[in-house]
Amino acid sequence: MKTITSLFSEERNQLQTDIDNATNIEQIVKLVQNRLDNLERIYIEKLNVAQVRLASFFLDALRQSIATLAAANYPQVAPTEQRQITNPATNFFPSRLILKVLQGLICIGILGSLFSLTKTTPGAWMAILLTALLLGLEVVLQLDLNNQQNNSMSQELLQLPQPILRVDSKVFLAHLADALNTIDLAVARVEESNKHEGDLAIEELPELLNFLQRLMGAAKLDKPQMAHELAKLLPQILMSQGINTQIYRANDPHSDRGYFDFEPSIDPDTQDYVTITPALLKGDRLIRRGRVIEPAYSSSKE
């Protein structure tokens, strides 16, 4: 019987290629879950009922854990996370400040010189007015330039790059293989437990050992009635171990003929089915086949 890990290894390379080609997380989740469904159908064909239930439980849990990947999504860039483009000219702020100070000192010196000339030259006032007008225009132009720069910086925002959410297929499949190997180990333990139950020594069954002890005592005392009463305890002892007995009844639809071996009666006048040994079943599993004597005419008709 192939393990689910070996079945997964046969399709691992193709699954890795499909994951790498997927464009979003939802596709990866559906892809892996569908592949697990296919593996489960193949894997459970050779398992018994207990192993199928255990493997299905683990695989359902695995599928649900993989589905949590769908919660991952691309984060949206908030407006507060946007940064304004820095104007390269601002890097030269100290140099510009020194230049403005020098320009101011020169203008003050020119105005001082002109004011000193007003005492001797009345036409100097015209030069003072023109210089003041020039300074005013310089201030207005500088304010307008600064306003335009501020407006352009407020409108031009640096968009942060949109992150790309990817799944590392190698790491993901390695963890998936570990999970499937855990399922194989759990199923193997169930099989070993079933084998151990069938190999139990008689000393590990105290009720059966007590029954045999009492039966041997009745035989030693030569008391057949006591042995007969003890035999009535057998169904109770078997039921304590989860074992049921079944008697064959020809007209009972619940009496499965496949649980018994049939032998024709040597008496041609016998018309009844006689169960010599009942069939022993544990749940739906047949442990021991029973033996039945059937009418001679029944076997001849078959």
Short mmCIF file of all heavy atoms in Angstrom, two decimals, residues 154-184:
data_model
loop_
_atom_site.label_atom_id
_atom_site.label_comp_id
_atom_site.label_asym_id
_atom_site.label_seq_id
_atom_site.Cartn_x
_atom_site.Cartn_y
_atom_site.Cartn_z
N SER A 154 3.13 70.10 -3.01
CA SER A 154 1.94 69.53 -2.39
C SER A 154 1.15 68.65 -3.35
O SER A 154 0.42 67.75 -2.94
CB SER A 154 1.05 70.65 -1.84
OG SER A 154 0.60 71.46 -2.92
N GLN A 155 1.28 68.91 -4.64
CA GLN A 155 0.54 68.14 -5.63
C GLN A 155 1.29 66.89 -6.07
O GLN A 155 0.68 65.89 -6.45
CB GLN A 155 0.21 69.02 -6.85
CG GLN A 155 -0.77 70.15 -6.54
CD GLN A 155 -1.00 71.05 -7.73
OE1 GLN A 155 -0.40 70.84 -8.79
NE2 GLN A 155 -1.83 72.06 -7.55
N GLU A 156 2.62 66.97 -6.07
CA GLU A 156 3.42 65.83 -6.52
C GLU A 156 3.77 64.96 -5.31
O GLU A 156 4.60 65.34 -4.50
CB GLU A 156 4.70 66.31 -7.22
CG GLU A 156 4.42 67.08 -8.50
CD GLU A 156 5.71 67.59 -9.12
OE1 GLU A 156 6.78 67.34 -8.52
OE2 GLU A 156 5.64 68.24 -10.16
N LEU A 157 3.09 63.84 -5.17
CA LEU A 157 3.31 62.92 -4.05
C LEU A 157 4.01 61.67 -4.55
O LEU A 157 3.71 61.16 -5.62
CB LEU A 157 1.97 62.54 -3.39
CG LEU A 157 1.17 63.72 -2.81
CD1 LEU A 157 -0.15 63.20 -2.27
CD2 LEU A 157 1.95 64.44 -1.74
N LEU A 158 4.92 61.23 -3.74
CA LEU A 158 5.66 60.03 -4.09
C LEU A 158 4.82 58.80 -3.74
O LEU A 158 4.50 58.57 -2.57
CB LEU A 158 6.99 59.99 -3.33
CG LEU A 158 7.83 58.73 -3.52
CD1 LEU A 158 8.23 58.60 -4.99
CD2 LEU A 158 9.06 58.76 -2.63
N GLN A 159 4.43 58.02 -4.74
CA GLN A 159 3.66 56.82 -4.52
C GLN A 159 4.59 55.68 -4.11
O GLN A 159 5.53 55.34 -4.83
CB GLN A 159 2.90 56.43 -5.80
CG GLN A 159 1.88 57.44 -6.24
CD GLN A 159 0.68 57.49 -5.29
OE1 GLN A 159 0.42 56.54 -4.57
NE2 GLN A 159 -0.02 58.61 -5.30
N LEU A 160 4.30 55.09 -2.93
CA LEU A 160 5.10 53.95 -2.48
C LEU A 160 4.85 52.76 -3.39
O LEU A 160 3.71 52.55 -3.84
CB LEU A 160 4.75 53.60 -1.03
CG LEU A 160 5.08 54.68 0.01
CD1 LEU A 160 4.62 54.21 1.38
CD2 LEU A 160 6.56 54.97 0.02
N PRO A 161 5.85 51.97 -3.68
CA PRO A 161 5.64 50.80 -4.54
C PRO A 161 4.68 49.80 -3.91
O PRO A 161 4.75 49.53 -2.72
CB PRO A 161 7.06 50.21 -4.68
CG PRO A 161 7.80 50.72 -3.48
CD PRO A 161 7.22 52.07 -3.19
N GLN A 162 3.75 49.28 -4.70
CA GLN A 162 2.78 48.30 -4.22
C GLN A 162 3.47 46.96 -3.97
O GLN A 162 4.12 46.42 -4.85
CB GLN A 162 1.68 48.10 -5.29
CG GLN A 162 0.50 47.28 -4.81
CD GLN A 162 -0.37 48.02 -3.82
OE1 GLN A 162 -0.07 48.00 -2.65
NE2 GLN A 162 -1.39 48.69 -4.30
N PRO A 163 3.37 46.43 -2.74
CA PRO A 163 4.05 45.16 -2.44
C PRO A 163 3.42 44.00 -3.21
O PRO A 163 2.22 43.99 -3.47
CB PRO A 163 3.84 45.00 -0.92
CG PRO A 163 2.62 45.81 -0.63
CD PRO A 163 2.63 46.95 -1.58
N ILE A 164 4.24 43.03 -3.54
CA ILE A 164 3.78 41.84 -4.25
C ILE A 164 3.82 40.66 -3.28
O ILE A 164 4.87 40.32 -2.73
CB ILE A 164 4.66 41.55 -5.48
CG1 ILE A 164 4.60 42.73 -6.45
CG2 ILE A 164 4.22 40.26 -6.16
CD1 ILE A 164 5.52 42.57 -7.65
N LEU A 165 2.66 40.07 -3.05
CA LEU A 165 2.55 38.95 -2.12
C LEU A 165 2.81 37.64 -2.87
O LEU A 165 2.09 37.30 -3.80
CB LEU A 165 1.15 38.93 -1.49
CG LEU A 165 0.93 37.95 -0.33
CD1 LEU A 165 1.86 38.30 0.83
CD2 LEU A 165 -0.51 37.99 0.13
N ARG A 166 3.85 36.93 -2.47
CA ARG A 166 4.22 35.69 -3.13
C ARG A 166 4.32 34.57 -2.11
O ARG A 166 4.53 34.80 -0.93
CB ARG A 166 5.57 35.85 -3.85
CG ARG A 166 5.60 36.95 -4.89
CD ARG A 166 4.79 36.61 -6.11
NE ARG A 166 5.29 35.42 -6.78
CZ ARG A 166 4.67 34.84 -7.80
NH1 ARG A 166 3.53 35.31 -8.25
NH2 ARG A 166 5.20 33.78 -8.37
N VAL A 167 4.18 33.33 -2.59
CA VAL A 167 4.32 32.14 -1.76
C VAL A 167 5.57 31.40 -2.20
O VAL A 167 5.73 31.09 -3.39
CB VAL A 167 3.08 31.23 -1.88
CG1 VAL A 167 3.31 29.91 -1.15
CG2 VAL A 167 1.85 31.92 -1.31
N ASP A 168 6.44 31.12 -1.26
CA ASP A 168 7.64 30.33 -1.55
C ASP A 168 7.20 28.88 -1.70
O ASP A 168 6.90 28.20 -0.72
CB ASP A 168 8.66 30.49 -0.42
CG ASP A 168 10.02 29.91 -0.79
OD1 ASP A 168 10.04 28.90 -1.54
OD2 ASP A 168 11.04 30.42 -0.34
N SER A 169 7.14 28.40 -2.93
CA SER A 169 6.59 27.07 -3.20
C SER A 169 7.40 25.97 -2.54
O SER A 169 6.85 24.98 -2.04
CB SER A 169 6.49 26.83 -4.71
OG SER A 169 7.77 26.95 -5.32
N LYS A 170 8.73 26.12 -2.49
CA LYS A 170 9.57 25.07 -1.90
C LYS A 170 9.32 24.94 -0.41
O LYS A 170 9.14 23.83 0.11
CB LYS A 170 11.05 25.38 -2.16
CG LYS A 170 11.46 25.27 -3.62
CD LYS A 170 12.95 25.51 -3.79
CE LYS A 170 13.36 25.35 -5.26
NZ LYS A 170 14.82 25.60 -5.44
N VAL A 171 9.28 26.06 0.29
CA VAL A 171 9.04 26.02 1.74
C VAL A 171 7.62 25.52 2.02
O VAL A 171 7.39 24.70 2.93
CB VAL A 171 9.26 27.41 2.35
CG1 VAL A 171 8.92 27.42 3.83
CG2 VAL A 171 10.70 27.85 2.14
N PHE A 172 6.66 26.01 1.25
CA PHE A 172 5.26 25.62 1.46
C PHE A 172 5.07 24.12 1.26
O PHE A 172 4.44 23.44 2.07
CB PHE A 172 4.38 26.41 0.50
CG PHE A 172 2.92 26.04 0.56
CD1 PHE A 172 2.13 26.44 1.61
CD2 PHE A 172 2.35 25.26 -0.44
CE1 PHE A 172 0.79 26.09 1.67
CE2 PHE A 172 1.03 24.90 -0.39
CZ PHE A 172 0.24 25.32 0.67
N LEU A 173 5.63 23.57 0.20
CA LEU A 173 5.47 22.14 -0.09
C LEU A 173 6.25 21.29 0.90
O LEU A 173 5.85 20.15 1.19
CB LEU A 173 5.91 21.85 -1.52
CG LEU A 173 5.04 22.46 -2.62
CD1 LEU A 173 5.59 22.12 -4.00
CD2 LEU A 173 3.60 21.99 -2.50
N ALA A 174 7.35 21.80 1.43
CA ALA A 174 8.09 21.06 2.45
C ALA A 174 7.26 20.89 3.71
O ALA A 174 7.19 19.80 4.30
CB ALA A 174 9.40 21.77 2.76
N HIS A 175 6.59 21.96 4.13
CA HIS A 175 5.71 21.87 5.30
C HIS A 175 4.50 20.97 5.01
O HIS A 175 4.04 20.23 5.89
CB HIS A 175 5.25 23.26 5.72
CG HIS A 175 6.32 24.09 6.35
ND1 HIS A 175 6.94 23.75 7.54
CD2 HIS A 175 6.91 25.25 5.95
CE1 HIS A 175 7.84 24.66 7.86
NE2 HIS A 175 7.86 25.58 6.89
N LEU A 176 3.99 21.04 3.80
CA LEU A 176 2.86 20.19 3.43
C LEU A 176 3.25 18.72 3.46
O LEU A 176 2.48 17.87 3.92
CB LEU A 176 2.35 20.59 2.04
CG LEU A 176 1.12 19.84 1.52
CD1 LEU A 176 -0.07 20.02 2.47
CD2 LEU A 176 0.75 20.31 0.13
N ALA A 177 4.46 18.42 2.99
CA ALA A 177 4.94 17.03 3.03
C ALA A 177 5.09 16.55 4.47
O ALA A 177 4.78 15.39 4.78
CB ALA A 177 6.28 16.93 2.29
N ASP A 178 5.55 17.41 5.37
CA ASP A 178 5.66 17.04 6.79
C ASP A 178 4.29 16.72 7.37
O ASP A 178 4.13 15.76 8.15
CB ASP A 178 6.30 18.18 7.58
CG ASP A 178 7.77 18.37 7.23
OD1 ASP A 178 8.38 17.41 6.70
OD2 ASP A 178 8.31 19.46 7.48
N ALA A 179 3.28 17.50 7.01
CA ALA A 179 1.92 17.25 7.52
C ALA A 179 1.38 15.92 7.00
O ALA A 179 0.76 15.15 7.74
CB ALA A 179 1.00 18.40 7.11
N LEU A 180 1.63 15.62 5.72
CA LEU A 180 1.15 14.34 5.16
C LEU A 180 1.90 13.17 5.78
O LEU A 180 1.32 12.09 5.98
CB LEU A 180 1.35 14.36 3.64
CG LEU A 180 0.52 15.40 2.88
CD1 LEU A 180 0.84 15.35 1.39
CD2 LEU A 180 -0.97 15.17 3.10
N ASN A 181 3.15 13.35 6.09
CA ASN A 181 3.91 12.28 6.75
C ASN A 181 3.34 12.00 8.14
O ASN A 181 3.33 10.84 8.59
CB ASN A 181 5.38 12.68 6.85
CG ASN A 181 6.24 11.57 7.41
OD1 ASN A 181 6.28 10.47 6.88
ND2 ASN A 181 6.94 11.85 8.50
N THR A 182 2.87 13.04 8.82
CA THR A 182 2.22 12.84 10.12
C THR A 182 0.97 11.99 9.98
O THR A 182 0.68 11.14 10.83
CB THR A 182 1.86 14.21 10.73
OG1 THR A 182 3.05 14.99 10.87
CG2 THR A 182 1.21 14.04 12.09
N ILE A 183 0.22 12.19 8.90
CA ILE A 183 -0.97 11.37 8.65
C ILE A 183 -0.58 9.92 8.44
O ILE A 183 -1.23 9.00 8.97
CB ILE A 183 -1.75 11.92 7.43
CG1 ILE A 183 -2.26 13.33 7.73
CG2 ILE A 183 -2.90 11.00 7.06
CD1 ILE A 183 -2.94 13.98 6.55
N ASP A 184 0.49 9.68 7.68
CA ASP A 184 0.96 8.31 7.47
C ASP A 184 1.33 7.64 8.79
O ASP A 184 1.02 6.47 9.03
CB ASP A 184 2.17 8.31 6.53
CG ASP A 184 1.77 8.51 5.08
OD1 ASP A 184 0.66 8.09 4.71
OD2 ASP A 184 2.57 9.08 4.32
#
